[in-house]
């Protein structure tokens, strides 16, 4: 599994070959670009400050402004620019979504590989553990985890500045770490099961048996033979898992246990907008549409990739 | 068959015990003084001390876990820290609401998903199939809390077709159930579709057609029955976890169900209630797996004879 330029060229060709996959990828790309450009757009005054409380943002009764009156997507109950908050929210959603997807994939693929490859008692133990994780509601796991590794957690004290995503701005970093770890830790069991099933299938194919007979080490077996063969499945699952992690992140935000408040988060925005639904429905509709579009894009990408790479699924 | 079921039962018990173990450790790792949750923020040090003694809060976690498991073995789930209500009672009072909501929704989404899945598999790659695919994908991309709010606003508040914000009878469950059904139907339509496509390519379907069986008979009698096996598995799991609480929809529609109870207990740090709702939901999921295993034999006789 060599990650050279050819790999990306192949991926690009696969994505372009399928209309669904291309559409999904395009929408994701748009959101990523917007998210990346947000601070620059703010500096150029194309976009308001997402956290700046602004009296001009409220009408004469002190209510949120509806879309159009100087604010493209209106303003919220504190006079903040909704457009700016939605775009900054994309940074949170995409970052947490992708980071937790990577966490889930790492755990899921490892557990599935070990379980499928070694079988026996290890398989039994790992699959029982997977099942236990499937039976606990994710929101509760999320609560407990958040308090374990959160900013004021007592077990681990990880300061965001010590982490690789140091280049992101401060308002974003608070609480991000715990939220994505939490979502990653609750999203892997499905992945583990499917990877295990795939490994069980590939393991018995002739080329793996041949490699074994030739005395290939387990590492070589995993890296050269098993992983490349389950890669298409993992990629499809990864796209669909990202859709779910983004939904879960929004859900946690909605319940008030997601990324903490000053940071613009789509789920939190919907909770904050709810009391104003009757007079200012855009406060609920806009962030909701953003969630649906992003999640839909990842689902459609996964769907398209599956059609393109797994001919058995949809001939 | 019996041995297999017994083995499965034994493993289910082990899984549940493991779940209890994991949840207890996680819930008790939550920082924040539980005594303050019980007594309120203005409680004096003596009162806090008393509560610590009463609930054995200073004992080692493993010892408390042991006590909890013994208590469980006696069929006692404990009492809420916040309301002092019996946890089992609180769950049982709320169960009918959640059960009614779930069953209503299941009927709706299965009635819609099965025909959609079968027809899209029959007319594969037609415009009907592609449209259904897109709609199904939208359905599984909707956040539950958002869809619930929007539907509540448009259909109940604006148009007045449904009552807003309170719960009297079965009729009031129609909109919440429809919301839940909308969220689930996409996934199930695709699941039925994928399995039908696979089955329709098989030799016995060709044989049935060659024999001159009518198209309806081929689709629903020969193909669907085989395509349903993985669907039933998923349905069992999903229904069980929904019966354990429909978190967001109960929350938005203010229904007195288990999902609302779970959210409240998590936000209140009501440890016995959290444990109770989690174990209740886990038991349902594990039990559903067991029942699905039983059903397999009925749907597919080959499985029965194979074991």
């Amino acid at each position: 599994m060599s990650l050279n330029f050819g790999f990306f060229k192949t991926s690009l060709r696969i994505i372009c070959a399928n209309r669904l996959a291309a559409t999904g990828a395009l929408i994701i790309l748009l959101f990523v670009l917007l998210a990346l450009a947000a601070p620059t757009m703010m500096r150029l005054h194309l976009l308001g400050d997402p956290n700046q409380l602004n009296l001009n943002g409220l009408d004469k009764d002190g209510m949120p402004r509806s879309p159009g009156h100087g604010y493209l997507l209106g303003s919220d109950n504190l006079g903040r620019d909704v457009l700016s908050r939605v775009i900054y929210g994309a940074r949170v959603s995409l970052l947490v979504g992708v980071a937790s997807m990577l966490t889930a994939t790492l755990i899921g693929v490892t557990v599935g590989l070990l379980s499928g490859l070694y079988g026996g008692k290890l398989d039994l133990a790992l699959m029982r553990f997977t099942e236990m994780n499937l039976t606990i509601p994710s929101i509760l796991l999320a609560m407990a985890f958040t308090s374990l590794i959160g900013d004021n957690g007592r077990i681990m004290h990880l300061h965001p500045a010590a982490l690789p995503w140091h280049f992101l701005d401060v308002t974003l970093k608070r609480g991000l770490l715990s939220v994505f770890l939490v979502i990653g830790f609750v999203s892997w069991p499905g992945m583990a099961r499917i990877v295990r099933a795939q490994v069980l299938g590939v393991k018995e194919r002739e080329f793996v048996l041949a490699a074994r007979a030739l005395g290939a080490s387990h590492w070589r077996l995993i890296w050269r033979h098993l992983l490349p063969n389950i890669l298409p499945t993992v990629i499809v699952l990864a796209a669909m898992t990202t859709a779910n992690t983004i939904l879960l992140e929004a859900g946690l935000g909605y319940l008030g246990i997601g990324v903490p408040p000053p940071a613009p988060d789509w789920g939190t925005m919907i909770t904050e907008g709810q009391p104003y639904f009757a007079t200012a429905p855009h406060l609920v509709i806009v962030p909701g549409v953003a969630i649906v579009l992003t999640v839909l894009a990842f689902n459609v990408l996964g769907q398209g990739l599956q059609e393109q790479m797994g001919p058995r699924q949809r001939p | 068959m019996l041995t297999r079921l017994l083995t499965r039962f034994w493993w289910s018990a082990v899984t549940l015990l493991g779940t209890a173990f994991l949840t207890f450790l996680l819930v008790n790792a939550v920082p924040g003084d539980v005594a303050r949750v019980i007594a309120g923020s203005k409680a004096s040090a003596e009162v806090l001390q008393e509560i610590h003694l009463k609930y054995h809060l200073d004992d080692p976690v493993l010892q408390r876990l042991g006590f909890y498991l013994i208590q469980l073995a006696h069929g006692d789930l404990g009492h809420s820290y916040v309301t002092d209500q019996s946890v089992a009672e609180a769950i049982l009072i709320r169960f009918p609401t959640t059960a009614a909501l779930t069953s209503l929704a299941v009927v709706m989404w299965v009635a819609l998903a099965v025909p959609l899945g079968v027809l899209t598999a029959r007319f594969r790659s037609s415009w009907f199939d592609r449209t259904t695919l897109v709609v199904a994908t939208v359905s599984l991309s909707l956040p539950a809390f958002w869809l619930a709010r929007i539907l509540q606003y448009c259909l109940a508040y604006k148009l007045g077709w449904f009552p807003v914000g309170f719960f009297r009878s079965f009729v009031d469950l129609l909109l919440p159930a429809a919301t839940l059904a909308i969220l689930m139907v996409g996934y199930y339509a695709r699941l039925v579709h994928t399995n039908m496509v696979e089955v329709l390519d098989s030799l016995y379907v060709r044989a049935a057609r060659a024999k001159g069986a009518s198209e309806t008979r081929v689709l629903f009698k020969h193909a669907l029955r085989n395509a349903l096996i993985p669907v039933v598995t998923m349905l069992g799991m999903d229904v069980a976890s929904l019966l354990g609480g429909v978190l967001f929809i109960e929350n938005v529609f203010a229904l007195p169900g288990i999902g609302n109870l779970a959210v409240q207990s998590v936000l209140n740090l009501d440890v016995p209630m959290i444990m109770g709702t989690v174990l209740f939901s886990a038991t349902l999921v594990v039990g559903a797996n067991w029942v699905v295993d039983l059903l397999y034999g009925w749907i597919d006789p080959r499985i029965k004879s194979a074991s």
Side-chain angles (χ1 to χ4, degrees), chain A residues 106-179:
Chain A
L106 194 69
I107 306 176
V109 171
T110 313
V111 170
L113 258 177
L114 291 177
S115 205
L117 184 61
Y118 292 101
K121 289 216 171 84
L122 183 71
D123 179 31
L124 198 67
L126 284 177
M127 280 302 110
R128 283 305 123 185
F129 185 65
T130 310
E131 206 166 291
M132 282 168 208
N133 274 284
L134 274 174
T135 56
I136 307 179
S138 40
I139 169 194
L140 175 78
L141 269 180
M143 265 302 266
F145 275 136
T146 312
S147 53
L148 272 182
I149 45 185
D151 281 352
N152 41 17
R154 55 180 176 181
I155 296 210
M156 262 189 273
H157 195 86
L158 285 177
H159 195 270
L163 296 165
W165 45 91
H166 189 53
F167 57 91
L168 292 163
D169 41 313
V170 190
T171 46
L172 262 179
K173 282 184 298 195
R174 268 193 61 219
L176 269 191
L177 172 71
S178 43
V179 172

Side-chain angles (χ1 to χ4, degrees), chain A residues 189-242:
Chain A
M191 176 98 69
R193 281 192 164 183
I194 297 174
V195 167
R196 172 178 171 270
Q198 289 269 322
V199 170
L200 285 181
V202 176
K203 196 169 84 165
E204 299 305 326
R205 303 244 302 262
E206 283 85 357
F207 64 90
V208 177
L209 292 179
R212 277 200 157 163
L214 286 171
S217 70
H218 277 167
W219 270 116
R220 193 179 160 81
L221 219 55
I222 290 175
W223 282 107
R224 301 287 304 202
H225 301 284
L226 294 177
L227 271 184
N229 274 288
I230 61 170
L231 194 64
T233 315
V234 172
I235 291 175
V236 169
L237 280 176
M240 293 183 169
T241 305
T242 315

Side-chain angles (χ1 to χ4, degrees), chain A residues 140-141 143 274 284 299 314, chain B residues 130 149 190 266 274 278:
Chain A
L140 175 78
L141 269 180
M143 265 302 266
Q274 276 181 161
V284 173
N299 269 330
R314 269 180 69 93
Chain B
R130 301 307 282 182
R149 270 288 172 227
R190 293 315 293 172
V266 164
I274 301 177
V278 169

